[in-house]
Amino acid sequence: MAAESSTDQTDLYARALAEWQQRLPRAAKSLAEMSPQQKLERDLQIYKLATEIQRNELQSLEQKLADLVSVERKQLADLRTSARILEASQSIAKVGGVEMHVPTRTIHWTAETFRIHDTTPQEYTPNLDEGFALYLPGSRERITEALRRAMETGEVFYIELEKYTFKGRRIDVRTTCTSHFENGKLVRLTGIYQDITERKQAERRHQHHNRILEMLIAKVPLPEILKTITSD
């Protein structure tokens, strides 16, 4: 460090000396012609120039740092704004993100995915095996097989499933999976969870109404129609 400091000072002196020489009138005395007092004044002038050069460079560096900090602050503010917009968009569309690091089986959920499952990051850490238990029979086997193929071969999927939230609420979800490879090796699976409960309920009501209508047209006995109405 001492050697570097000495080199910097020598360079600074050389630059100050060059600046001083440029400012000299053509008829100025050479160093050999100067009296001791003139030499001292010369050295003081060079020192002042060196100080001025150093001060200007420090001010320039401070300005560059200030500009850099300003840019980084703006970028950070933009990222936070984008994150808020994304989170709001996910909430409106009821779409949450999910990612799994395949080698460690570590799972990450976005805020909306936690909301869809009626939980929070403080209450629950996503876990693959525990997650399977939330699915209804039939859906559990489908998601288990789809994830097995995805983890083994990188096969993508797009399926609709039935499951429970952590509060016991039954929901319908659409989930997708996309694989990501690095150097030919599968490293990540990313996808979405979308709460499609309202759409599926509307579809079931429509199917139920159609079934009742078909029974009425077919003149099915009234007790059987009433049984069908109350069973759904």
Side-chain angles (χ1 to χ4, degrees):
M1 293 295 294
E4 292 180 2
S5 178
S6 176
T7 301
D8 292 341
Q9 292 296 324
T10 301
D11 177 65
L12 182 60
Y13 178 84
R15 289 157 58 199
L17 176 60
E19 179 71 19
W20 178 80
Q21 289 174 337
Q22 288 181 358
R23 298 184 183 185
L24 282 179
R26 293 185 178 181
K29 295 181 180 179
S30 66
L31 184 60
E33 297 172 329
M34 292 181 182
S35 67
Q37 181 63 31
Q38 290 173 328
K39 289 180 180 179
L40 178 60
E41 290 177 359
R42 166 189 175 276
D43 291 340
L44 286 173
Q45 290 174 1
I46 294 173
Y47 172 76
K48 288 180 180 179
L49 281 173
T51 302
E52 181 181 336
I53 291 171
Q54 191 174 48
R55 182 175 62 252
N56 291 339
E57 290 181 349
L58 286 174
Q59 289 176 345
S60 176
L61 180 59
E62 288 174 355
Q63 184 59 50
K64 288 179 180 179
L65 289 174
D67 292 343
L68 181 60
V69 169
S70 177
V71 170
E72 289 183 345
R73 283 177 177 170
K74 184 179 183 304
Q75 290 176 342
L76 181 58
D78 290 343
L79 285 174
R80 287 173 175 168
T81 300
S82 297
R84 286 196 299 270
I85 293 172
L86 176 60
E87 186 171 341
S89 300
Q90 287 183 343
S91 180
I92 292 170
K94 296 184 178 180
V95 176
V98 59
E99 179 177 282
M100 181 173 71
H101 184 245
V102 176
T104 62
R105 293 165 67 102
T106 303
I107 300 175
H108 297 280
W109 284 359
T110 64
E112 183 60 22
T113 302
F114 280 101
R115 280 194 287 268
I116 289 172
H117 290 84
D118 289 334
T119 188
T120 66
Q122 293 73 34
E123 296 173 332
Y124 175 69
T125 300
N127 178 282
L128 190 60
D129 295 326
E130 291 180 5
F132 287 141
L134 296 172
Y135 289 92
L136 273 65
S139 290
R140 183 180 304 130
E141 288 75 19
R142 290 177 64 203
I143 188 62
T144 301
E145 178 61 18
L147 273 175
R148 182 191 65 79
R149 293 197 302 268
M151 293 175 68
E152 290 180 357
T153 66
E155 180 179 332
V156 301
F157 61 77
Y158 178 106
I159 51 180
E160 295 182 355
L161 305 163
E162 295 177 290
K163 68 187 307 186
Y164 290 103
T165 70
F166 284 90
K167 292 184 178 179
R169 185 169 58 91
R170 182 169 170 172
I171 60 173
D172 293 275
V173 296
R174 177 172 65 90
T175 183
T176 66
C177 174
T178 303
S179 55
H180 301 269
F181 292 82
E182 291 181 6
N183 299 321
K185 191 173 182 179
L186 179 65
V187 292
R188 290 191 322 280
L189 297 176
T190 60
I192 65 164
Y193 275 111
Q194 182 177 21
D195 186 346
I196 58 172
T197 304
E198 292 181 3
R199 175 171 68 80
K200 297 299 287 187
Q201 287 177 343
E203 289 177 0
R204 293 187 188 108
R205 285 195 298 270
H206 181 70
Q207 293 170 358
H208 179 62
H209 293 160
N210 285 343
R211 186 160 60 252
I212 299 301
L213 181 60
E214 290 171 356
M215 294 175 73
L216 289 170
I217 293 173
K219 298 182 179 180
V220 173
L222 184 58
E224 188 174 339
I225 295 176
L226 292 175
K227 182 179 179 181
T228 301
I229 292 174
T230 56
S231 64
D232 290 347

